[in-house]
Amino acid sequence: APTPPCGGLPHPAYARLGEPAAVREWRADTLPTKWSPPACLEWDDRNFAALIAVAGRFDDVPNASRLLTRLVSTSQLKTIRYWSYSRKTWRDLLAEIVALDGPDRTRERTDFRVSDIAMGRDYFMWQEENSPASGVILRTRFKEISDSRIVFEQVNLTPSRILMMTVLAPYEYRATHFIERETGTVWRYYSLTRIGREGRPVSTDQIASTINRSVALYRYLGALPMEREPPGAP
């Protein structure tokens, strides 16, 4: 079962430095029946269709401030490239992304700065991916911030639709990210993402797409080559 780094060894284990991130997926019905989300995730239920974990290492990041800058600079997030599972090509992940002063699409603001970041505070962004689906308001909440460890969670607050059909209801995407300094400029990264809801199957395409988006964010944070082969889900 998935095990985030909450004081013990994670599963999957961190990939070695220089190797592609380790990726695992679970359907809700394949998890052990007695498994429940670890307390550190602060997930109040097991109402999801699938889980995706990404675990890796990256180097040449001198401090936590560098990571926070990359996380909150919405204009830079638009540079993220990912492997499109459906189109079998590398593409820009986002068509549009803007920072917001609250959970309201009309309240656009300039990029957040590291000095704006505080533990427990919510930060909001509007993001629209390069896909037929409509954009969503994404909430980011920092749970831990120190020179050696950053933990943050991202949740979609609004639905995403294709034409008139809802493909992602509010809170059906939820991801917790753990970034820890291992030594010097080497950092370990682990994310666990839940998608969908219990009782509504997710397709292989949805899972593969989420894997590749998760790997893309990992590579962006670690300043790794975006289009490095192999992709997370080819």
Side-chain angles (χ1 to χ4, degrees), residues 140-202:
T140 299
R141 177 178 295 166
F142 289 89
K143 298 184 174 184
E144 294 183 42
I145 304 174
S146 72
D147 290 338
S148 59
R149 182 174 163 94
I150 299 171
V151 180
F152 67 99
E153 179 189 69
Q154 294 180 315
V155 177
N156 72 301
L157 299 184
T158 56
S160 181
R161 299 184 175 92
I162 296 178
L163 299 178
M164 300 299 291
M165 182 177 68
T166 297
V167 293
L168 187 71
Y171 297 93
E172 283 194 354
Y173 168 87
R174 189 167 184 173
T176 304
H177 308 257
F178 302 81
I179 312 174
E180 300 176 317
R181 187 193 300 271
E182 185 170 71
T183 179
T185 61
V186 177
W187 296 74
R188 298 179 297 213
Y189 172 93
Y190 187 101
S191 68
L192 189 62
T193 302
R194 55 188 283 180
I195 58 173
R197 66 174 181 265
E198 191 175 14
R200 193 177 79 177
V202 292

Side-chain angles (χ1 to χ4, degrees), residues 17-111:
L17 196 62
E19 293 183 352
V23 176
R24 279 290 310 273
E25 63 177 84
W26 296 264
R27 306 285 178 127
D29 57 4
T30 65
L31 286 165
T33 55
K34 293 184 179 180
W35 182 85
S36 60
C40 67
L41 293 175
E42 298 180 354
W43 294 355
D44 54 5
D45 58 49
R46 197 176 140 161
N47 182 21
F48 50 82
L51 294 177
I52 293 157
V54 175
R57 286 180 168 90
F58 50 76
D59 198 357
D60 297 327
V61 178
N63 50 52
S65 180
R66 179 76 59 86
L67 291 168
L68 288 171
T69 298
R70 295 182 72 80
L71 274 169
V72 301
S73 297
T74 50
S75 58
Q76 291 302 307
L77 289 167
K78 201 172 178 182
T79 65
I80 296 177
R81 301 272 289 175
Y82 83 112
W83 176 260
S84 171
Y85 179 80
S86 59
R87 295 176 174 82
K88 305 302 181 187
T89 188
W90 295 99
R91 305 183 76 219
D92 290 337
L93 174 59
L94 300 171
E96 182 181 8
I97 182 166
V98 292
L100 302 175
D101 256 332
D104 183 336
R105 174 67 181 90
T106 65
R107 296 175 59 185
E108 294 187 14
R109 55 157 292 161
T110 57
D111 284 4

